[in-house]
Amino acid sequence: MARVTTAVRHAVRRLRRPSRARTHRRPPTVALISGPHPWTRALGLVVVVLLGAWLGLLVVGDVRAPVGPVNTTMTLRPSLTGGTKINISPLGALELDSHVAPVRLDVNVDQLDPGRAQALVDHPERLSGLQDEVTGDVARGTLDLAVRSGVAVVSGATALGLAVYRRPRRALAAGGLALALLAASGGTAYATWKPDSVLEPKFSGLLSSAPSLVGDARSIVTEFDVYQRELARLVTNVTKLYDATSTLPAYQPDPSTIRVLHVSDIHLNPASWKIIASLVEQYEVNVIVDTGDTMDHGTAAENGFLDPIEDLGAPYVWVRGNHDSTATQRHLEGMENVHVLDDGKARTVAGLRFAGIGDPQFTPDRDARPGAEASQELAGARLASALRDQSTAGTPVDVALAHEPSAAREVDGAVPLVLAGHVHHEEMEVMKYGTRLRIEGSTGGSGLRAVEGGHPDPIQASILYFDRDSRRLQAWDEIELGGLGLSTAEVSRHLPKENQPGASPSPTAGTPSP
């Protein structure tokens, strides 16, 4: 019996062995887990590359380089607009639209080198070679910056890639992509480099109150080589600027230019008069032009607000806005040194012939009234007719004035320049038939209504430079001050294309052809 039991057991074991073998040969069960989409992986890699490159630039991507008598720090920074920013602490900054690329060049003027500065003072003959020296210093600093930035972005992207992916190949791929992006950005900056961007800088901080640092508009155009030398001299004058930061160079206007201060939409802001008086004194303004909405409701009780106009130090040319009543206009007509323009009548003030028309609407409550647009176009057509009559009579108008841009657009082809306001922001365009339209922002920061929005409106004005002989616009400075509660200041220099160095003169509207 025991033998039978043992035999059965062995038989069972033999039967079980093939079954177990078949079980072991059965393929393992594989769980299907969907991996990330290729686009998702690519986007993640791009984020790692950009963040790593940015961190690398922040840590080691700057270069300390001497430029003439000053020590500077040059840095590349990610930017959507490109350009160059020169920080001259504590005086402010200059911004140049030097290139279009996703990187911006920051140049920080750290300190003056006493030895190099004293050498220039002791040996004035070295000033003649300062421009070449500064150019060479900037070139060497830029080359060093390019090499250091390449190392910085590759190191940063590789390190972050290694921390995120923990795979050397992916980390090296991130570093290579970062280097390729930097090279592409550098190539784009080189291809779009604009050496003439120095002609149109934007100033901020205390520098905004020293437009003489870039010279007069006309001298920049006609004497570009002199202007370049003046920039070199500016470097040597940093000593004086650092010694007395509150004493900035006085503006020296070119006697061959007529300087016009364009203001608009003051809206009963009493601070505007102090700002205007300061600009008149600093820029030695020849004439002030106000394109309306000086008041807010146009009542007789507001007329006292206009009294400071007589003490601004320059003739005041004015056209009525939709917040200015005819009572306001009559009050201004009785004030000394004020020239009210209406119905297309022309006045010669400070060597320029002006003509304008008052706003046909009086809407102090800002209600939209039927037919408003048509009335503006009709007023503009009346002004255009008067301008053509002046040209026919041999006394062409140099500058036309209207409050609303829709009226100003109707004079296209009848005058070289037309000024307007109303929209509370600055614009400049050359219209279809050659007339340049300049729209001024609010010199009153939109008045008390500025508190209605979430952000204060800036205070804006412009200085327009006219050639005294041709009476044509040569350049303009856009001036912007921070609104209520802010203390920022910016000045941007602009030149018409036809006044850029090397540009061929183009015919202007309102000029009879020979």
Side-chain angles (χ1 to χ4, degrees):
M1 186 69 179
R3 290 178 179 177
V4 173
T5 303
T6 303
V8 171
R9 288 176 178 172
H10 285 299
V12 171
R13 288 174 181 172
R14 285 195 296 269
L15 291 173
R16 287 179 176 176
R17 284 171 186 166
S19 174
R20 289 176 180 173
R22 288 194 298 270
T23 301
H24 286 299
R25 288 195 297 269
R26 185 178 302 167
T29 302
V30 179
L32 298 178
I33 301 175
S34 61
H37 193 278
W39 285 108
T40 303
R41 291 198 299 267
L43 179 61
L45 179 61
V46 170
V47 172
V48 169
V49 168
L50 293 179
L51 182 58
W54 179 65
L55 291 174
L57 287 175
L58 285 180
V59 176
V60 295
D62 57 10
V63 168
R64 299 185 182 277
V67 178
V70 298
N71 294 322
T72 68
T73 301
M74 299 182 181
T75 312
L76 286 181
R77 290 285 181 258
S79 171
L80 295 177
T81 57
T84 299
K85 185 174 183 180
I86 304 173
N87 299 299
I88 310 177
S89 179
L91 300 177
L94 292 92
E95 295 183 30
L96 306 177
D97 186 20
S98 58
H99 62 276
V100 179
V103 289
R104 185 187 73 197
L105 174 62
D106 285 356
V107 181
N108 295 312
V109 179
D110 299 326
Q111 62 182 0
L112 189 74
D113 185 277
R116 296 197 302 272
Q118 189 61 43
L120 285 174
V121 175
D122 296 338
H123 303 281
E125 66 276 4
R126 295 185 182 181
L127 288 176
S128 59
L130 181 61
Q131 181 178 341
D132 294 335
E133 178 185 345
V134 170
T135 302
D137 290 341
V138 172
R140 286 188 292 273
T142 305
L143 179 60
D144 191 6
L145 177 62
V147 174
R148 185 179 290 266
S149 297
V151 174
V153 299
V154 171
S155 301
T158 303
L160 186 60
L162 190 61
V164 172
Y165 298 113
R166 301 183 184 278
R167 296 178 182 178
R169 292 183 62 183
R170 296 293 295 274
L172 291 175
L177 182 57
L179 183 60
L181 290 175
L182 180 64
S185 300
T188 304
Y190 180 80
T192 60
W193 185 258
K194 294 181 288 187
D196 290 343
S197 62
V198 71
L199 293 175
E200 301 183 73
K202 176 184 287 186
F203 302 95
S204 60
L206 289 176
L207 285 178
S208 62
S209 62
S212 60
L213 292 179
V214 294
D216 177 78
R218 179 175 173 82
S219 65
I220 291 175
V221 174
T222 59
E223 302 178 20
F224 188 61
D225 57 334
V226 177
Y227 172 57
Q228 288 180 310
R229 291 196 297 270
E230 289 301 315
L231 281 181
R233 288 183 56 193
L234 169 62
V235 178
T236 65
N237 288 335
V238 172
T239 311
K240 299 177 182 178
L241 295 177
Y242 272 79
D243 288 342
T245 57
S246 60
T247 305
L248 297 175
Y251 181 71
Q252 298 296 330
D254 190 323
S256 64
T257 61
I258 301 173
R259 295 163 302 283
V260 176
L261 171 60
H262 183 197
V263 301
S264 190
D265 296 85
I266 293 174
H267 286 291
L268 283 179
N269 186 344
S272 300
W273 300 130
K274 293 183 179 179
I275 294 171
I276 292 173
S278 176
L279 292 174
V280 168
E281 180 180 2
Q282 180 180 342
Y283 286 83
E284 296 190 19
V285 167
N286 300 109
V287 56
I288 305 167
V289 171
D290 185 342
T291 46
D293 275 4
T294 313
M295 311 296 258
D296 221 3
H297 300 92
T299 64
E302 295 173 327
N303 287 342
F305 171 75
L306 303 171
D307 291 344
I309 290 179
E310 293 182 319
D311 300 320
L312 292 177
Y316 202 88
V317 178
W318 182 87
V319 291
R320 188 178 67 249
N322 60 294
H323 282 256
D324 305 315
S325 65
T326 54
T328 302
Q329 180 164 319
R330 287 193 298 270
H331 183 79
L332 282 167
E333 287 173 340
M335 296 181 66
E336 186 178 353
N337 215 26
V338 175
H339 305 271
V340 174
L341 301 180
D342 202 0
D343 297 323
K345 294 180 180 178
R347 294 276 189 92
T348 299
V349 183
L352 293 174
R353 184 175 291 273
F354 298 92
I357 194 164
D359 198 296
Q361 297 283 317
F362 177 53
T363 54
D365 53 3
R366 287 174 284 166
D367 287 342
R369 299 187 179 182
E373 189 70 18
S375 67
Q376 294 293 339
E377 294 175 356
L378 180 60
R382 289 170 52 201
L383 177 57
S385 177
L387 294 173
R388 294 188 183 95
D389 290 343
Q390 289 284 342
S391 296
T392 302
T395 55
V397 171
D398 304 310
V399 185
L401 277 63
H403 178 64
E404 290 207 24
S406 54
R409 294 182 189 279
E410 297 298 314
V411 306
D412 187 14
V415 69
L417 175 67
V418 58
L419 305 180
H422 185 67
V423 296
H424 292 202
H425 64 264
E426 294 179 329
E427 294 181 25
M428 178 76 89
E429 67 171 289
V430 178
M431 295 186 288
K432 180 179 179 180
Y433 298 108
T435 294
R436 185 180 294 273
L437 170 62
R438 169 69 188 171
I439 302 174
E440 189 54 77
S442 174
T443 312
S446 299
L448 293 178
R449 71 187 61 194
V451 301
E452 296 175 358
H455 302 280
D457 290 344
I459 295 171
Q460 297 177 316
S462 298
I463 303 292
L464 311 178
Y465 301 90
F466 292 83
D467 182 271
R468 192 173 292 275
D469 296 326
S470 67
R471 302 188 303 280
R472 294 295 182 262
L473 182 68
Q474 298 294 305
W476 68 94
D477 287 341
E478 293 179 359
I479 300 169
E480 181 172 307
L481 307 177
L484 295 173
L486 300 180
S487 58
T488 59
E490 288 186 352
V491 180
S492 303
R493 170 65 54 84
H494 301 274
L495 280 76
K497 289 183 178 180
E498 61 269 21
N499 285 349
Q500 296 283 356
S504 58
S506 58
T508 55
T511 302
S513 54

